[in-house]
Amino acid sequence: MTALDFTTHTIPLEGKSKISAKNVNLWYGEKQALHNINLEVGENQVTALIGPSGCGKSTFLRCLNRMNDTIPSCRIQGDISIDGDDIYAQSLDVVHLRARVGMVFQKPNPFPKSIFDNVAYGPRLHGLSESKDHLEHIVKSSLERAGLWKEVSDRLLSPGTGLSGGQQQRLCIARAIAVSPEVILMDEPCSALDPIATAKVEELIDELRENFTIAIVTHSMQQAARVSQRTAFFHLGVLVENGPTEGIFTSPIDKRTQDYVTGRFG
Amino acid sequence: MPTYILIATILVLSVIGYYMGRSTAVARNGGKSKGLHSLPGYYGYYMALWCALPALALAFLWLVFQNSIIEGMVLGGVDVQNPSLFMTDVKNYVENGIASGGVTDTLVAAADRYVSLKQYSAIMLSIGAIALAVVGLAYSQTRVGPTLRSRPKVEKALMIALMAASTIAILTTVGIILSLLFESALFFEKVPLTEFLFGIQWSPQTAMRADQVGSSGTFGAVPLFAGTLLITAIAMAVAAPIGLMSAIYMSEYADRRVRSVLKPLLEVLAGIPTVVYGFFAALTVAPFVRTLGQSVGLDVASESALAAGVVMGIMIVPFVSSLSDDVMTAVPQAMRDGSYGLGATKSETIKRVILPAALPGIVGAVMLAISRAIGETMIVVMAAGLSANLTANPFEAVTTVTVQIATLLVGDQEFDSPKTLATFALGLVLFVVTLILNIIALRIVRKYREQYE
């Protein structure tokens, strides 16, 4: 095996940066999963993280709301800040961080509760609603923004697990935006969905960009090209290249990026 | 030939049959095993089964019926007043050389006939069974060949064997129910059902002599039901919170190493013999409860419902904790991630997601624990007492259904008095209640299983 190539080609972000990762290294036990990652995520943009399986893109995404904290063997080094606040600072409460940085998972994971209770889960947790009417308003507007309201408005009290896969995933998105986060992380949100449901979720992501900063991990390069403004390519735990999406797909700088986006490996 | 040698012979023949089946199948397929319908071994099993099963079935039926047939033939030739007593004499004479009514000529003649019939029967059985085994071998060997579908046939025989095994368990249950029903029916002929179910006086000692005083025998079982209920309630009040909380700790907080030590340790509690719990309750906990009660000015009986209930509760903690831990661990990690991702802490996630999702399973676990507590005998026999008090006071001695069954049946008993028959009625009630609880519990658990995937 040849030695790892640690070079990162970055075309600097234009506009305001929301999340800034500096010199991030991460280990699972003895194995180093991320090598010296430096990445800026632009505000009100969709940033796609692409790369072959096991390249560290999901791991990096989970660093951004400290979901890796739940894995005991995980050790992390470096600085990640959101609007300049260090998210690994001692003083920071992880609960508050996760209210600011929502997450949508690969497999739709609605709670075995009613549709209403699924969406109301976060607001209730953080005491966001002053009254019952207000809570209903939050639920309704979250479902509307997730494009699900028309389909479920007449059965809010039936279980969320009874929806179709695509509807479940949009329910999870509604659940995430109900707490009004600033950033939404999506870990392959469409990998368990059929093409029609995928198209709907992609459309939704494009709309959400207005109000939220989005980072999305995807295996589909077409999806990355369709929804994102900037793309970061990971390979073997190294951030190889990041820049405007169009540039990554039409004129990649690094040979590894070129090989990947043209389908030569991965 | 003794029976065990006969059975060994049949088994040896069937082993031979196995090898014959293998080699015959291969030989008839031109010396190779490729192209046979089934693997060669299946032809072996096919012949072995044909050899052993008919012969063993014959031997079994023969041995079941031989005694009654031989006895009929022996008695058919003599004229005696009491045939079964005479038969016993014959057997005693044959085996030990003695007889209750003295050795007579008729007896000796009958004994000779008995012995010769027995020998004849044994020889016939050996010849018949071995002949049948050989015929089975010969017949099945003619059928062995490349086109014989031996594998499905052998597997069908296996399936029937498995079915028979499961039927034994079911038949035993049916037998228990039937015996309970019949004996209870006898009891209810003597004591009306309404008195049994609704009477509040339990005093099962019946008069042995006509002039005996104070032993009329009343069979109102309500005090027993109340006592059982009280002790079960105390036990669950101990077991449910302790079990549930330790399950939450084990499944959510303890790291894997702690859990792998803690869970087996808790399950050891379930492995302690109940009689050990019993004397722990009677000799350690009951006096402790009594002194504790006295120190705060309460009058506690030396055998109290509280002591028995608390110890029983400790005993069933592992039922609750182990099953609840399993259902909580079975809640998918995705649920936890979803909750953490929305900013919930661990305890909020447990309270709002995991417990509701696992609740049906936890209820099922508690139900199973309750039915265990209702049926528990040894602890209450030793620690709860015998007096059938109708009380809700946990500091008094009470008695339970199981205690009464145990005490009424200990020692030599006449099986036609209401006193002993009452135990069957009590057993029936116990059986019905625990059956209903188990059915409810299993339904709840099954419903829970369908919830994910």
Side-chain angles (χ1 to χ4, degrees):
Chain A
M1 198 176 143
T2 50
L4 274 178
D5 183 351
F6 291 113
T7 39
T8 300
H9 304 274
T10 302
I11 295 176
L13 178 72
E14 293 170 13
K16 192 170 175 293
S17 165
K18 181 78 184 173
I19 304 174
S20 151
K22 289 200 177 68
N23 306 324
V24 174
N25 288 288
L26 183 141
W27 292 263
Y28 289 124
E30 292 297 303
K31 190 177 172 295
Q32 188 164 6
L34 292 177
H35 298 270
N36 208 33
I37 307 291
N38 288 285
L39 183 67
E40 304 283 328
V41 175
E43 186 158 33
N44 292 1
Q45 277 193 346
V46 178
T47 302
L49 312 179
I50 62 169
S53 295
C55 68
K57 56 193 187 306
S58 288
T59 300
F60 178 73
L61 191 77
R62 289 166 65 93
C63 289
L64 302 181
N65 68 344
R66 293 182 52 179
M67 280 302 276
N68 287 328
D69 288 13
T70 57
I71 302 168
S73 66
C74 181
R75 195 157 52 83
I76 183 164
Q77 227 177 48
D79 299 308
I80 301 177
S81 57
I82 294 183
D83 287 338
D85 304 333
D86 179 7
I87 67 167
Y88 282 89
Q90 286 281 316
S91 57
L92 183 129
D93 188 346
V94 72
V95 167
H96 293 145
L97 170 69
R98 289 183 189 150
R100 285 173 75 185
V101 184
M103 187 156 196
V104 176
F105 296 85
Q106 182 170 1
K107 220 177 126 193
N109 59 346
F111 301 128
K113 300 170 180 287
S114 71
I115 294 170
F116 185 91
D117 286 342
N118 260 286
V119 182
Y121 185 86
R124 279 180 179 146
L125 207 59
H126 299 290
L128 297 182
S129 63
E130 287 118 32
S131 65
K132 206 163 165 265
D133 288 347
H134 188 206
L135 185 65
E136 279 167 13
H137 171 75
I138 294 176
V139 170
K140 183 175 179 218
S141 69
S142 305
L143 284 168
E144 276 170 345
R145 285 157 92 182
L148 195 60
W149 177 250
K150 279 186 198 144
E151 291 158 60
V152 301
S153 60
D154 56 340
R155 48 173 173 150
L156 287 177
L157 298 180
S158 56
T161 41
L163 298 173
S164 75
Q167 287 173 327
Q168 286 189 14
Q169 194 59 298
R170 280 180 284 147
L171 176 63
C172 292
I173 294 174
R175 189 175 71 182
I177 57 187
V179 287
S180 317
E182 298 157 32
V183 180
I184 301 177
L185 308 176
M186 298 186 176
D187 192 353
E188 298 181 42
C190 300
S191 66
L193 304 185
D194 68 48
I196 295 169
T198 302
K200 279 193 176 163
V201 172
E202 286 182 5
E203 210 175 295
L204 174 60
I205 292 171
D206 204 49
E207 285 165 18
L208 292 175
R209 174 159 69 91
E210 257 180 60
N211 300 304
F212 304 98
T213 300
I214 295 173
I216 175 170
V217 163
T218 175
H219 267 294
S220 154
M221 279 172 279
Q222 288 87 341
Q223 184 171 66
R226 281 193 298 264
V227 301
S228 71
Q229 284 71 53
R230 281 180 70 88
T231 296
F233 171 63
F234 285 73
H235 184 228
L236 299 173
V238 178
L239 175 59
V240 174
E241 186 162 350
N242 84 87
T245 299
E246 215 185 312
I248 296 275
F249 285 101
T250 53
S251 51
I253 303 165
D254 195 286
K255 179 148 188 321
R256 289 169 289 176
T257 318
Q258 192 180 5
D259 285 350
Y260 184 73
V261 299
T262 54
R264 220 163 290 164
F265 74 84
Chain B
M1 189 185 293
T3 314
Y4 64 91
I5 294 187
L6 175 66
I7 289 173
T9 313
I10 294 172
L11 292 180
V12 168
L13 278 176
S14 78
V15 171
I16 294 171
Y18 174 79
Y19 288 104
M20 270 171 73
R22 281 188 73 129
S23 54
T24 311
V26 174
R28 290 192 185 153
N29 194 39
K32 46 191 202 314
S33 59
K34 199 180 167 219
L36 282 171
H37 172 269
S38 312
L39 290 171
Y42 282 103
Y43 293 93
Y45 290 127
Y46 176 74
M47 278 192 66
L49 287 172
W50 262 106
C51 171
L53 289 184
L56 289 177
L58 176 77
F60 177 72
L61 291 176
W62 193 294
L63 292 172
V64 167
F65 290 110
Q66 105 175 333
N67 277 347
S68 51
I69 292 175
I70 289 177
E71 285 174 17
M73 287 168 81
V74 169
L75 291 172
V78 293
D79 181 29
V80 286
Q81 274 187 337
N82 190 338
S84 65
L85 184 66
F86 181 72
M87 210 52 236
T88 316
D89 273 348
V90 168
K91 284 181 196 161
N92 268 335
Y93 179 68
V94 169
E95 276 157 29
N96 309 320
I98 51 163
S100 63
V103 181
T104 60
D105 287 347
T106 336
L107 185 69
V108 173
D112 285 345
R113 190 162 156 71
Y114 179 76
V115 170
S116 68
L117 276 174
K118 269 223 134 157
Q119 282 170 347
Y120 182 66
S121 163
I123 293 167
M124 288 303 288
L125 171 59
S126 305
I127 294 173
I130 291 174
L132 199 56
V134 172
V135 168
L137 277 181
Y139 169 72
S140 55
Q141 201 192 13
T142 60
R143 301 201 47 187
V144 166
T147 55
L148 176 73
R149 297 164 173 236
S150 58
R151 179 158 54 183
K153 289 182 201 296
V154 169
E155 280 175 357
K156 185 149 194 202
L158 193 67
M159 189 200 80
I160 291 172
L162 296 177
M163 222 161 70
S166 64
T167 316
I168 288 174
I170 295 168
L171 285 181
T172 312
T173 314
V174 172
I176 291 174
I177 296 172
L178 286 181
S179 93
L180 278 178
L181 280 178
F182 282 123
E183 303 288 342
S184 305
L186 288 179
F187 172 72
F188 289 125
E189 277 170 16
K190 298 181 179 172
V191 177
L193 180 63
T194 46
E195 190 202 319
F196 175 71
L197 285 183
F198 303 113
I200 55 168
Q201 179 82 29
W202 177 264
S203 167
Q205 297 304 328
T206 40
M208 304 286 274
R209 304 182 308 276
D211 57 344
Q212 202 168 339
V213 185
S215 293
S216 52
T218 44
F219 294 92
V222 168
L224 309 191
F225 299 147
T228 306
L229 217 64
L230 178 62
I231 290 189
T232 305
I234 295 170
M236 290 320 294
V238 172
I242 294 181
L244 195 56
M245 285 195 251
S246 55
I248 291 173
Y249 175 72
M250 281 194 296
S251 72
E252 303 301 320
Y253 288 99
D255 73 42
R256 198 167 300 161
R257 265 175 315 160
V258 176
R259 183 168 185 260
S260 67
V261 176
L262 205 62
K263 202 174 177 193
L265 270 183
L266 255 176
E267 279 162 3
V268 164
L269 280 179
I272 296 174
T274 54
V275 66
V276 175
Y277 278 112
F279 63 69
F280 176 63
L283 301 181
T284 312
V285 178
F288 175 72
V289 169
R290 188 176 158 80
T291 11
L292 202 69
Q294 275 166 347
S295 68
V296 294
L298 281 170
D299 186 23
V300 182
S302 59
E303 289 183 317
S304 61
L306 190 63
V310 167
V311 173
M312 193 192 285
I314 298 294
M315 184 194 79
I316 54 182
V317 159
F319 285 84
V320 180
S321 72
S322 210
L323 283 170
S324 306
D325 172 53
D326 287 344
V327 290
M328 277 168 22
T329 315
V331 173
Q333 182 63 30
M335 296 291 127
R336 299 186 173 84
D337 283 350
S339 179
Y340 295 148
L342 287 165
T345 62
K346 205 155 196 165
S347 68
E348 283 165 338
T349 302
I350 292 165
K351 210 162 55 199
R352 291 167 188 249
V353 176
I354 295 174
L355 282 182
L359 190 65
I362 293 169
V363 172
V366 171
M367 293 286 233
L368 285 177
I370 291 177
S371 69
R372 178 74 210 252
I374 290 178
E376 170 50 40
T377 310
M378 218 52 226
I379 295 175
V380 278
V381 165
M382 295 170 98
L386 283 172
S387 49
N389 289 330
L390 185 55
T391 176
N393 182 355
F395 301 119
E396 275 186 49
V398 294
T399 191
T400 70
V401 175
T402 50
V403 169
Q404 288 304 317
I405 293 178
T407 48
L408 288 181
L409 284 185
V410 166
D412 287 339
Q413 299 294 347
E414 20 158 15
F415 270 83
D416 53 353
S417 79
K419 179 184 147 193
T420 38
L421 289 175
T423 58
F424 289 97
L426 289 174
L428 187 65
V429 172
L430 210 57
F431 179 80
V432 169
V433 170
T434 50
L435 186 71
I436 291 171
L437 281 174
N438 277 339
I439 289 173
I440 295 174
L442 288 176
R443 287 207 148 199
I444 292 172
V445 172
R446 191 171 311 147
K447 192 176 159 206
Y448 165 75
R449 280 208 191 107
E450 286 163 0
Q451 203 155 356
Y452 304 108
E453 313 307 338

